[in-house]
Amino acid sequence: MNIDLQKADSRLLHEPFALQLRESGPQVALSWLTEVLSGQSSGLRSSNSYLVAYTGCPEAIDWLEVTVDSPVSTHWGEGAALLGTPWSRIKLWLSSEAAKQLMALDTLIAYRAPSPNMSPLAQIAAATLPDAPSIIEYEMVLKSVITETSSFRLRKSVENALAYADEILSRQNRGVVVADLPLLFLQPELFANASEVLRKHEVVMSGMRQSIQNLLKSFKLKG
């Protein structure tokens, strides 16, 4: 493994990962990516974990399940949702240890309707929950997760997952099928619902870049 990738965030991993997808295909790209992530710090691996979803490989869910560990960022659940993890498996995670419970809750929250605070690719993918349960089962299972020893993070995640219940359980039309996630990563502009999402994202990013430039100019003037 290239030692430089041990400290690479998702931006730095984008090009080498895209190269693997283009030249070697999803299966090889998944093996390459998980090897890279295995050599990273737990915090960096957590923030990069969602990238495995863009292989479109169902076995990437297995990797998320066996690898998730503290610190549990929302990226684990975002990746699991992109891969179409069904309610039956999420329910098993909710009855497991804390790390899997948090990933399960973040997965459910990632199944809500696309919103501006999601990444552009996640908005375009617009993942939906397979084999969604009834609202009665959903609420019962989620509320059973909370115990006296539950952390604030877990309690807040349960609260958010319950607040988004209607969106999570009622949405039917996924934007991009799991098998097309590699193409979405490589060429998002090809998808019908992508242009507006990408345009809005570029407006936000341009505004942020301009703000940084203005801040740097003000520092120079003061200097």
Side-chain angles (χ1 to χ4, degrees):
M1 185 187 74
N2 187 334
I3 191 67
D4 293 336
L5 297 180
Q6 288 185 345
K7 296 183 179 180
D9 61 15
S10 59
R11 292 169 299 176
L12 293 176
L13 281 176
H14 187 281
E15 282 306 315
F17 178 44
L19 182 65
Q20 290 290 327
L21 283 173
R22 279 194 299 266
E23 296 191 350
S24 303
Q27 292 288 343
V28 174
L30 177 61
S31 296
W32 174 87
L33 181 59
T34 54
E35 182 183 353
V36 169
L37 297 181
S38 70
Q40 295 190 329
S41 67
S42 57
L44 190 54
R45 180 167 55 251
S46 182
S47 65
N48 289 332
S49 57
Y50 74 97
L51 288 172
V52 300
Y54 290 103
T55 65
C57 297
E59 57 268 38
I61 300 176
D62 299 332
W63 182 87
L64 292 168
E65 181 175 275
V66 301
T67 310
V68 65
D69 198 5
S70 181
V72 185
S73 71
T74 59
H75 298 296
W76 298 95
E78 291 163 8
L82 285 168
L83 288 162
T85 304
W87 168 250
S88 55
R89 193 157 188 176
I90 293 171
K91 190 161 60 169
L92 290 175
W93 292 350
L94 288 170
S95 63
S96 188
E97 69 268 20
K100 288 189 178 67
Q101 288 179 324
L102 288 171
M103 179 169 67
L105 292 165
D106 289 334
T107 303
L108 290 171
I109 294 168
Y111 278 131
R112 71 194 189 278
S115 61
N117 66 336
M118 292 180 174
S119 72
L121 297 190
Q123 291 182 57
I124 297 166
T128 56
L129 175 62
D131 73 357
S134 67
I135 185 65
I136 295 174
E137 178 186 354
Y138 182 84
E139 292 181 345
M140 180 181 67
V141 171
L142 262 63
K143 289 176 181 178
S144 70
V145 172
I146 299 177
T147 66
E148 291 183 2
T149 59
S150 295
S151 66
F152 173 80
R153 159 95 155 89
L154 189 142
R155 288 175 177 271
K156 187 64 177 177
S157 296
V158 169
E159 179 182 316
N160 289 338
L162 289 171
Y164 287 115
D166 288 342
E167 289 183 26
I168 293 167
L169 300 178
S170 63
R171 295 177 57 246
Q172 301 293 324
N173 300 318
R174 183 180 173 111
V176 177
V177 298
V178 173
D180 285 344
L181 289 175
L183 182 59
L184 173 63
F185 189 82
L186 295 172
Q187 296 179 278
E189 68 279 0
L190 295 180
F191 293 86
N193 60 334
S195 58
E196 184 64 14
V197 172
L198 295 173
R199 185 192 67 78
K200 289 181 178 178
H201 177 68
E202 181 54 34
V203 169
V204 171
M205 295 305 295
S206 296
M208 291 177 63
R209 287 192 290 268
Q210 187 61 53
S211 296
I212 292 172
Q213 289 176 2
N214 292 342
L215 187 60
L216 291 174
K217 286 180 181 178
S218 68
F219 283 144
K220 288 180 180 180
L221 290 175
K222 291 179 181 178

